[in-house]
Amino acid sequence: MKKIIVSIAITCYCCCIYAQQVSPDVCIQTMGLLQNKIAHSHIEKGDIVGFWSCFENCYDNSIEILEFRNEILYALLQLYPKLTLSTLQEQSTSILDRVVHDLANPLHEGINLLKVYYKVATAEQVDNHLKECLLSGLQIAIDNKDVDN
């Protein structure tokens, strides 16, 4: 079983690095593996780098991918803020824009937005412009949540 998981992870990682876009199935597999690693507290830089490929614009019409990546994004920022931000700052502007959009529009009600905001705000050794972008998206989500309540 471990060999299969490692094989899928390597395939996903290679696809994410060498292809402009990965297929939706590979994206879902990547996020499933990442969710499992989050649950077992075993995250590595390559796992998060592969995750950013799931923010390609071709996935904006797939509600399954949108919900899954939103859940994973918030979990990563809450549990691994420094590693998540350090890998995100290496990504394209279009991916950053989609990440900010996802942060501004959380799809799950159980997210502690203030905790995620704090984790991002206090992450060290991260580009300040990146932090500002992410915090602005989180602030929109916080403001919208306050209006809804």
Side-chain angles (χ1 to χ4, degrees):
M1 181 66 172
K2 286 184 180 181
K3 287 182 182 179
I4 293 171
I5 291 173
V6 170
S7 176
I8 291 172
I10 290 170
T11 301
C12 293
Y13 182 72
C14 290
C15 288
C16 293
I17 288 184
Y18 296 109
Q20 290 292 338
Q21 296 179 2
V22 296
S23 75
D25 291 339
V26 171
C27 184
I28 290 170
Q29 286 177 340
T30 299
M31 290 188 294
L33 290 170
L34 189 52
Q35 185 179 46
N36 187 32
K37 288 185 169 202
I38 289 170
H40 292 94
S41 300
H42 190 269
I43 297 292
E44 297 175 6
K45 182 178 179 177
D47 299 321
I48 300 174
V49 170
F51 171 65
W52 299 128
S53 68
C54 295
F55 283 84
E56 295 292 337
N57 63 357
C58 61
Y59 304 125
D60 289 347
N61 294 327
S62 171
I63 191 67
E64 181 181 18
I65 291 176
L66 291 174
E67 288 177 345
F68 204 4
R69 81 178 188 193
N70 196 267
E71 177 184 344
I72 299 289
L73 175 61
Y74 272 98
L76 287 172
L77 287 173
Q78 185 169 337
L79 300 171
Y80 305 95
K82 183 178 175 183
L83 184 58
T84 302
L85 296 176
S86 71
T87 60
L88 180 56
Q89 67 190 24
E90 299 168 1
Q91 302 303 310
S92 69
T93 304
S94 64
I95 288 178
L96 175 59
D97 290 344
R98 285 187 184 84
V99 168
V100 171
H101 179 269
D102 276 19
L103 291 174
N105 301 287
L107 299 174
H108 303 280
E109 292 185 20
I111 298 170
N112 185 336
L113 296 171
L114 293 175
K115 185 173 185 177
V116 175
Y117 187 98
Y118 175 79
K119 293 283 189 164
V120 171
T122 59
E124 296 179 356
Q125 300 174 341
V126 179
D127 179 68
N128 282 334
H129 175 71
L130 174 66
K131 271 190 194 182
E132 290 171 10
C133 290
L134 298 179
L135 292 173
S136 69
L138 286 165
Q139 189 62 56
I140 291 169
I142 291 166
D143 292 345
N144 288 340
K145 185 176 181 182
D146 289 342
V147 169
D148 292 341
N149 290 333

